[in-house]
């Protein structure tokens, strides 16, 4: 089946001013590749500052003016040029944004979902989509400040789902929600995939991602360190030392902390960005590290677990 989204060798950097008027290019995402098939939930898991939101904004063509993007993005078999991105944004490709502040605080929920359409069928459609997400018809008349956190999240999802998109990008859709509401919100994304859409789920929460994802890409300092089937994670087949460390840091796996901190943009050399914190570090890790195909996935490590 033709993939919904293909991202190949994507890099994103920012122009910043150094000393005086000298411009410096600050790389944030490097050589990222990712494929989403119809019906698939692909999770991108990474800690704060690893470049997750930039990836979403890069696909949508809404990066800030001082940024540069290189690489290829293909949507439904055609290049996703800035012009095409603008055309499909909010329709075939929707973003469920990171913050509920994306809702217009001065506009009632109903008109936000209908996006300016007032006819009877638009009204029926917005009621139906609210109902689908467990929100009563009275929600239409509320302003965003009158919604609880969980309701606001569901309104954002309803706004996205109202367009029957081909690709849904969810940027950290669960923070601030209790475990039950978070599971419910993720369940809605699973449903969208089950009805044929591709879902890119961006999160820092590996455990939660695994409850709905088909594939997982683990992101560290702007690089994919590992990409694998979600089932491999639950089976304990983790290849990259960072993925392993992330797994061991989960409460149910012993809460083992990872010493050190993720390097920021501009602090990464040509070698592996995790090397300074890696228990398996070798001198070669400071040089270029190729991606390797590994058991139905990819790993970005010279000495992955399970190797000979
Ligand atoms: N407009 C910008 N100019 C310069 N650097 C930026 C800009 N936006 C984001 N960054 C940097 O890019 C990195 C990744 O940001 P982001 O994608 O928001 O991370 P995440 O969503 O994974 O928390 C951060 O270190 C941030 O400082
Ligand atoms: Mg973010």
């Amino acid at each position: 089946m033709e993939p919904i989204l293909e991202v190949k060798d994507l890099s994103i950097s920012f122009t910043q001013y150094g000393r005086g008027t000298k411009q410096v290019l600050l790389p944030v995402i490097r050589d990222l590749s990712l494929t989403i098939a119809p019906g698939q939930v692909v999770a991108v898991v990474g800690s704060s500052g690893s470049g997750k939101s930039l990836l979403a904004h890069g696909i949508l063509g809404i990066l800030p003016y001082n940024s540069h993007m290189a690489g290829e993005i293909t949507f439904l078999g055609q290049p996703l040029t800035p012009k095409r991105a603008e055309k499909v944004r909010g329709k075939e490709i929707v973003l469920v944004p990171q913050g509920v502040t994306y809702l217009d605080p001065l506009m009632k929920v109903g008109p936000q979902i209908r996006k300016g359409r007032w006819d009877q069928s638009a009204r029926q459609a917005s009621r139906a989509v609210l109902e689908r997400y467990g929100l009563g018809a009275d929600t239409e008349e509320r302003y965003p400040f009158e919604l609880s956190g969980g309701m606001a999240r569901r309104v954002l999802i309803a706004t996205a789902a109202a367009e029957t998109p081909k690709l849904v990008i969810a940027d950290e859709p669960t923070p601030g929600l209790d475990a039950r509401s978070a599971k419910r919100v993720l369940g809605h994304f699973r449903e969208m995939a089950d009805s044929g859409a591709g879902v890119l789920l961006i999160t820092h929460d590996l455990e939660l991602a695994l409850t709905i994802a088909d594939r997982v890409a683990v992101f560290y300092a702007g690089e994919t360190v590992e990409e694998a089937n979600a089932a491999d994670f639950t089976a304990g087949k983790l290849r990259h030392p960072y993925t392993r460390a992330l797994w061991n840091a989960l409460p149910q796996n012993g809460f083992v902390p990872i010493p050190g901190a993720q390097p920021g943009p501009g602090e990464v050399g040509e070698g592996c960005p995790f090397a300074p914190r890696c228990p398996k570090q070798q001198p070669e890790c400071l040089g270029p590290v190729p991606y390797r195909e590994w058991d139905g996935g990819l790993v970005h490590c010279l000495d992955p677990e399970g190797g000979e």
Side-chain angles (χ1 to χ4, degrees):
M1 218 181 323
E2 183 176 71
I4 290 190
L5 183 78
E6 272 184 288
V7 176
K8 252 177 104 184
D9 304 326
L10 182 82
S11 300
I12 297 175
S13 45
F14 286 101
T15 313
Q16 291 214 323
Y17 287 92
R19 290 218 179 127
T21 54
K22 212 178 122 216
Q23 282 193 7
V24 287
L25 211 57
L26 201 65
V28 181
I29 291 182
R30 288 170 303 282
D31 299 330
L32 176 124
S33 299
L34 189 86
T35 303
I36 306 181
Q40 253 187 353
V41 176
V42 175
V44 167
V45 178
S47 58
S48 180
S50 56
K52 303 184 301 296
S53 291
L54 288 176
L55 169 67
H57 296 172
I59 295 168
L60 289 156
I62 52 170
L63 287 168
Y65 73 96
N66 63 331
S67 63
H68 307 265
M69 188 163 87
E72 278 172 50
I73 305 179
T74 310
F75 174 62
L76 301 174
Q78 300 287 326
L80 191 58
T81 57
K83 211 168 150 195
R84 186 156 172 245
E86 195 183 328
K87 227 173 90 192
V88 297
R89 199 159 61 216
K91 298 181 188 81
E92 286 170 274
I93 303 183
V94 295
L95 173 71
V96 178
Q98 182 162 3
V100 290
T101 50
Y102 276 74
L103 288 169
D104 184 338
L106 300 177
M107 202 195 257
K108 287 181 183 172
V109 167
Q112 298 205 39
I113 292 180
R114 292 193 290 271
K115 303 192 182 73
R117 292 187 295 264
W118 285 101
D119 52 288
Q120 197 58 33
S121 71
R123 283 188 161 269
Q124 268 169 8
S126 67
R127 292 240 165 111
V129 80
L130 283 170
E131 199 185 316
R132 172 141 49 106
Y133 295 106
L135 299 160
D138 59 309
T139 315
E140 289 206 315
E141 295 304 317
R142 296 202 194 192
Y143 285 96
F145 77 89
E146 298 173 298
L147 304 171
S148 71
M151 284 172 88
R153 285 269 156 213
R154 278 182 276 152
V155 167
L156 284 174
I157 297 171
T159 309
E163 302 297 323
T164 48
K166 301 265 182 358
L167 176 67
V168 181
I169 303 178
D171 191 359
E172 306 245 24
T174 56
L177 298 184
D178 59 82
R180 228 181 85 208
S181 317
K183 283 228 165 79
R184 186 147 115 190
V185 161
L186 288 190
H188 296 319
F189 291 112
R190 183 68 256 176
E191 283 163 21
M192 289 188 211
D194 291 345
S195 60
V199 176
L200 177 61
L201 171 68
I202 294 177
T203 178
H204 64 271
D205 194 330
L206 175 60
E207 190 191 359
L208 214 50
L210 288 174
T211 61
I212 64 153
D214 299 298
R215 284 185 74 76
V216 177
V218 179
F219 217 39
Y220 184 79
E223 287 182 14
T224 314
V225 296
E226 171 159 7
E227 202 198 315
N229 288 320
D232 287 358
F233 284 78
T234 28
K237 283 203 273 171
L238 313 174
R239 292 99 181 174
H240 197 282
Y242 174 64
T243 317
R244 228 155 235 283
L246 203 61
W247 183 255
N248 292 333
L250 292 177
Q252 68 275 29
N253 301 333
F255 247 140
V256 185
I258 319 174
Q262 174 177 267
E267 293 171 13
V268 181
E270 65 167 349
C272 172
F274 188 61
R277 304 170 76 185
C278 184
K280 299 176 84 180
Q281 192 203 346
Q282 331 161 5
E284 290 76 26
C285 299
L286 301 175
V289 178
Y291 277 97
R292 299 202 212 177
E293 304 238 345
W294 201 273
D295 207 5
L298 283 179
V299 64
H300 202 188
C301 181
L302 292 172
D303 186 16
E305 293 291 332
E308 58 287 348

